[in-house]
């Protein structure tokens, strides 16, 4: 058997073993779920709502991929397939590994598959998360502001403009401190570009709407309270201390946010939050498995000696 066939066979078995490990890890995390109660709750939502919610969550992954593609396509072989594979792999590791330890896969993948230095890859992850938290915080502040929707939208536009203007200065300070702490010097990464902001804002808007829609069907609340619940869950999921898949903090965030806007029993909110959380988890892990089986999440990101990267 040729060396090429040996490597192909080894890659095939590694792919299936990693896929099996992901499925087993997901099963272990879900072992204490009351599936009968969850199924009863699930059946209260029309199938088209679940399908559109899942499509929205998948679309949010694609928008995140667009942001990474816009950042790296000039340096790496970063087409839409490679960017999507990288981001769903990253998202799956974040939810499967406790204490947000899965964040490191983004750095490792860029370094291992793209030849990016660990410093540059780490700064890229830091910039990604700093922008994520900025956008999510601005959206949450606008959502929870005690104003009517027209005033909230005006406040949102003003805060986004301020964030886009201020973040470059903040990013420069963060890089300077990181360089002094590590004792390293090198080319600094530019602050997020306009395309990056467009992808980041649209990603979070789509994701919050995708989560809010089934919450609206499961709970006696209006869309305002459902959106707040979605934002509360995502804010809680962003905390640095997380159990596997974020079970517990996510539901607590949804409960606190919904109860701030509607008088609904916390037990009903907790069950609705769990079911929606399971959907988001299934879309994330399922997408990463598909990307792995197609080879998109582990492809070589180094650019060929000549010629443009994939479109």
């Amino acid at each position: 058997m040729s060396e090429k066939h040996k490597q192909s066979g080894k890659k095939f078995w590694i792919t299936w073993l990693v896929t099996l490990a992901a499925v087993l890890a997901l099963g272990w995390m879900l072992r204490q779920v009351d599936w009968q109660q969850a199924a009863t709750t699930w059946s209260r939502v029309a199938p088209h709502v679940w399908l559109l919610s899942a499509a929205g969550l998948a679309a949010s992954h694609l928008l995140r991929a667009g942001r990474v593609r816009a950042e790296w396509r000039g340096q790496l072989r970063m087409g839409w397939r490679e960017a999507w594979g990288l981001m769903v792999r990253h998202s799956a590791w974040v939810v499967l590994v406790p204490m947000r330890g899965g964040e490191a896969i983004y750095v490792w993948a860029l370094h291992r598959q793209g030849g990016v230095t660990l410093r540059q890859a780490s700064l890229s992850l830091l910039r990604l998360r700093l922008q994520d938290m900025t956008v999510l915080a601005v959206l949450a502040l606008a959502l929870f502001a005690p104003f009517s929707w027209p005033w909230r939208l005006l406040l949102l536009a003003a805060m986004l403009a301020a964030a886009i203007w201020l973040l470059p200065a903040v990013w420069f300070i963060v890089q300077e401190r990181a360089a002094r702490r590590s004792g390293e010097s090198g080319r600094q990464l530019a602050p997020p570009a306009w395309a990056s902001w467009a992808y980041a804002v649209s990603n979070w808007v789509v994701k919050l709407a995708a989560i809010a829609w089934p919450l609206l069907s499961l709970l006696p609340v209006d869309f305002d309270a459902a959106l707040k619940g979605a934002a509360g869950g995502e804010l809680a999921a962003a905390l640095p201390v997380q159990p596997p898949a974020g079970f517990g903090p996510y539901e607590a965030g949804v409960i606190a946010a919904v109860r701030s806007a509607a008088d609904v029993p916390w037990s009903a909110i907790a069950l609705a939050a769990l079911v929606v959380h399971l959907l988001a988890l299934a879309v994330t892990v399922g997408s990463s498995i598909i990307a792995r089986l197609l080879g998109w999440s582990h492809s070589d990101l180094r650019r060929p000696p000549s010629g443009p990267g994939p479109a």
Side-chain angles (χ1 to χ4, degrees), residues 54-77:
L57 291 168
S60 74
H61 287 308
L62 191 62
L63 290 166
R64 285 173 60 80
R67 181 162 45 145
V68 174
R69 176 177 176 269
E71 176 182 347
W72 289 106
R73 64 178 175 176
Q75 298 174 243
L76 302 176
R77 188 175 178 272

Side-chain angles (χ1 to χ4, degrees), residues 72 75-76 106-108 110-112 114-124 184-187 189:
W72 289 106
Q75 298 174 243
L76 302 176
Y106 178 85
V107 176
W108 177 247
L110 286 177
H111 175 66
R112 182 78 172 181
V116 179
T117 66
L118 290 175
R119 178 181 181 275
Q120 291 291 98
S122 299
L123 284 174
S124 175
E184 296 180 6
S185 61
R187 184 175 65 85
L189 290 184

Side-chain angles (χ1 to χ4, degrees), residues 14-279:
I14 289 175
T15 295
W16 279 104
L17 286 173
V18 170
T19 301
L20 178 61
V23 172
L24 290 176
L26 181 61
W28 178 82
M29 289 187 295
L30 302 179
R31 68 192 188 283
Q32 294 184 342
V33 172
D34 186 339
W35 290 107
Q36 184 176 358
Q37 193 174 20
T40 301
T41 304
W42 184 280
S43 64
R44 288 162 45 195
V45 179
H48 75 275
V49 173
W50 287 124
L51 287 174
L52 289 174
S53 179
L57 291 168
S60 74
H61 287 308
L62 191 62
L63 290 166
R64 285 173 60 80
R67 181 162 45 145
V68 174
R69 176 177 176 269
E71 176 182 347
W72 289 106
R73 64 178 175 176
Q75 298 174 243
L76 302 176
R77 188 175 178 272
M78 189 67 77
W80 280 102
R81 290 177 299 182
E82 291 82 8
W84 179 77
L86 172 63
M87 292 318 296
V88 294
R89 180 187 182 191
H90 175 222
S91 298
W93 274 73
V94 168
V95 299
L96 291 174
V97 179
M99 306 294 285
R100 300 195 68 87
E103 296 278 13
I105 197 64
Y106 178 85
V107 176
W108 177 247
L110 286 177
H111 175 66
R112 182 78 172 181
Q113 296 166 230
V116 179
T117 66
L118 290 175
R119 178 181 181 275
Q120 291 291 98
S122 299
L123 284 174
S124 175
L125 175 62
L126 182 60
R127 181 174 60 180
L128 188 77
R129 284 313 188 194
L130 183 61
Q131 187 183 37
D132 271 334
M133 287 308 304
T134 300
V135 173
L136 183 57
V138 165
L139 287 172
L141 285 172
L143 269 176
F144 286 94
F147 308 131
S148 61
W149 270 103
W151 284 107
R152 287 187 198 175
L153 292 175
L154 188 61
L155 177 64
L156 173 62
M159 289 192 296
L160 275 177
I164 293 171
W165 179 62
L166 287 172
L167 193 62
V170 175
W171 178 239
F172 176 77
I173 295 171
V174 168
Q175 286 197 95
E176 286 293 312
R177 289 185 176 179
R180 286 200 301 267
R181 187 178 298 113
S182 64
E184 296 180 6
S185 61
R187 184 175 65 85
Q188 291 190 334
L189 290 184
W194 284 105
S196 180
W197 282 107
Y199 281 122
V201 173
S202 56
N203 159 54
W204 281 111
V205 169
V206 168
K207 187 173 185 179
L208 293 181
I211 294 170
W213 199 5
L215 286 178
L216 184 64
S217 300
L218 288 166
L219 299 170
V221 297
D222 57 15
F223 193 60
D224 178 67
L227 272 176
K228 288 177 179 176
E234 291 302 315
L235 285 169
L239 295 173
V241 179
Q242 291 285 336
F247 286 119
Y250 186 90
E251 285 72 17
V254 176
I255 293 169
V258 171
R259 284 182 64 85
S260 72
D263 186 16
V264 182
W266 73 267
S267 56
I269 304 172
L271 190 56
L274 174 62
V275 173
V276 174
H277 192 179
L278 290 174
L279 173 68

